[in-house]
Amino acid sequence: MTRALVILVLAAGCGSRPALDYGRALFDDASVSSAASNTFKCSTCHEVAAMPTTLKAGYTLHDSAARPAFWGGSVPALYDATNQCITQFMRGKALAADDEKGRALFVYLQSESPDASAPLLPLTVVQNITNVKSGDATRGQATYQQACGTCHGQPHTGEGRLGTVVSIIPDESLQAHGTDPITGARPITIEKVRHGKFFNIGGNMPLFSVEALPDADLGDVLAYLEMFGLPPSP
């Protein structure tokens, strides 16, 4: 099936339900994935505002339907990018081109894409993990709540986390990996933030690119987590 045909199929109607309304609801609904165990929503990692107000792993999806490609250029079409999120992070099956959910999501994202010349957005993935120096714990608390707390809940208790399969940080990293400066909880935390589920890490956490979370902001989060037992910067 050609990309042009995929777009035409996705733009079709969704039965008796208004596609735009259905797509808007799906954006904030974990049932967009077929996996019963999924707790992620599109809105977990993305906003749709032109000027995002919170720090999330993914870019805002404002103008996403007009972008020439995704994931820094490695994924050519919105249909493929949507399915990458659903299969990689939401544990679900890829949406077929004629799936009602896929059509509705496309119509909704198209409605949030007024700029026909929207550019490709960069994605810088940190491949080689090195230590990140601790920054400011006060700033780190605010950054943690936006970037980490949405999924992991509060440090040490996990209160408010998405589900019981989501790790409590830093406690579970400390229990599993200890405090060694090379193999312990601190470098493991940095690696998990930068690699997510990729690089043979496993799980279903998305990675944070340098654009989404600069090292300075990550250092602030690490300083905040030191208040809960994460080892300080060596």
Side-chain angles (χ1 to χ4, degrees):
M1 182 177 287
T2 66
R3 298 293 176 200
L5 181 56
V6 167
I7 296 301
L8 287 173
V9 170
L10 287 175
C14 296
S16 61
R17 283 178 284 191
L20 179 59
D21 293 343
Y22 185 34
R24 183 182 292 110
L26 279 174
F27 186 81
D28 197 36
D29 191 336
S31 71
V32 69
S33 167
S34 60
S37 62
N38 173 57
T39 57
F40 284 163
K41 310 168 185 176
C42 300
S43 59
T44 303
C45 295
H46 302 279
E47 288 191 61
V48 290
M51 298 296 292
T53 58
T54 57
L55 195 161
K56 294 178 180 283
Y59 276 113
T60 177
L61 295 185
H62 185 80
D63 281 335
S64 60
R67 290 176 196 160
F70 305 85
W71 283 84
S74 64
V75 178
L78 182 58
Y79 172 70
D80 301 309
T82 299
N83 273 332
Q84 180 153 333
C85 287
I86 289 174
T87 59
Q88 294 284 344
F89 309 123
M90 296 181 174
R91 306 174 186 266
K93 296 179 180 179
L95 298 175
D98 60 350
D99 188 282
E100 184 180 52
K101 292 178 179 178
R103 295 199 303 267
L105 276 174
F106 180 82
V107 170
Y108 171 57
L109 293 176
Q110 193 174 47
S111 77
E112 296 288 343
S113 301
D115 183 1
S117 61
L120 174 69
L121 299 178
L123 183 78
T124 305
V125 177
V126 177
Q127 298 192 33
N128 298 314
I129 301 302
T130 58
N131 180 53
V132 175
K133 292 184 178 180
S134 299
D136 181 84
T138 301
R139 289 196 305 265
Q141 180 178 10
T143 301
Y144 176 92
Q145 298 303 333
Q146 293 186 47
C148 314
T150 303
C151 292
H152 291 276
Q154 297 306 305
H156 189 55
T157 67
E159 181 181 355
R161 59 182 169 155
L162 281 182
T164 57
V165 298
V166 180
S167 61
I168 298 174
I169 49 181
D171 299 52
E172 292 186 19
S173 290
L174 287 165
Q175 292 169 8
H177 304 288
T179 59
D180 187 274
I182 298 176
T183 62
R186 184 185 182 89
I188 289 293
T189 299
I190 297 170
E191 181 178 41
K192 191 65 175 176
V193 169
R194 288 304 186 206
H195 287 173
K197 65 164 290 178
F198 302 105
F199 296 88
N200 297 316
I201 301 299
N204 67 324
M205 177 176 163
L207 59 79
F208 280 82
S209 67
V210 172
E211 290 79 13
L213 190 72
D215 272 354
D217 292 341
L218 176 54
D220 291 342
V221 171
L222 294 170
Y224 174 59
L225 291 177
E226 287 172 14
M227 299 171 61
F228 300 91
L230 189 74
S233 179

